[in-house]
Amino acid sequence: MPTQAQAAAPAALVKYPSNRLGNVSDLKPDAAFDVAYPDQDAPGVLLKLGKRVEGGVGPDGDIVGFAALCPHKGFYMNYRPEDRTLNCPGHFSRFDCEKGGQQVWGHATQNLPQYALRVDEKGDIYAEGVDELLYGRLSNTL
Ligand code: FES
């Protein structure tokens, strides 16, 4: 039986140091919780989607995390709870948070980097890697 972290690990995962991003109790359903990972120059969000999803962790398998800068030109994106997407105000790319950050419309040429998350016995949420290139980086290295 795989652990939650193993089950959540995307195929092309790039590992970063494990950073605590918050606690399960910090999250409200369908509201973005602001974080940064793997460093302060890389804003992101944690989301509690209310249903088990790809890459989801926690008691309900519904907690996911994504980079919040659009992979196209780096605009900061907004979460839209109505359809659980992250939306870019720059040129309107959209990414499906229930489908691993899959791009559903727009100019970006890659899906949204999703965090590999782990939840410990205290409910603390750790990120341990990402599955796509972060905006503005030439490679996924620190
Ligand atoms: S910066 Fe997001 S679509 Fe261009």
Side-chain angles (χ1 to χ4, degrees):
M1 180 83 173
T3 65
Q4 281 186 331
Q6 288 168 331
L13 177 70
V14 176
K15 288 192 173 254
Y16 281 109
S18 181
N19 282 4
R20 181 186 178 280
L21 300 183
N23 187 276
V24 169
S25 64
D26 295 328
L27 305 182
K28 297 184 174 51
D30 269 335
F33 180 78
D34 294 331
V35 297
Y37 184 76
D39 53 53
Q40 291 306 309
D41 293 330
V45 292
L46 292 180
L47 300 165
K48 181 170 175 56
L49 298 176
K51 71 182 234 190
R52 190 168 294 276
V53 292
E54 177 181 335
V57 297
D60 304 317
D62 65 342
I63 296 171
V64 291
F66 294 97
L69 296 185
C70 180
H72 179 225
K73 296 284 182 185
F75 280 68
Y76 186 84
M77 295 192 291
N78 303 306
Y79 180 64
R80 186 170 186 269
E82 291 80 7
D83 59 5
R84 301 203 173 106
T85 55
L86 277 158
N87 293 265
C88 179
H91 316 100
F92 312 114
S93 284
R94 306 178 68 231
F95 301 88
D96 189 335
C97 299
E98 293 183 331
K99 297 212 169 107
Q102 181 180 338
Q103 184 178 352
V104 291
W105 197 88
H107 293 280
T109 56
Q110 68 168 63
N111 295 327
L112 197 58
Q114 182 172 14
Y115 301 154
L117 297 176
R118 172 176 63 85
V119 178
D120 72 10
E121 64 285 347
K122 292 180 294 194
D124 287 331
I125 304 165
Y126 294 84
E128 307 195 316
V130 297
D131 69 349
E132 295 276 355
L133 185 64
L134 296 166
Y135 176 75
R137 318 254 167 149
L138 297 177
S139 65
N140 265 338
T141 56
L142 286 174

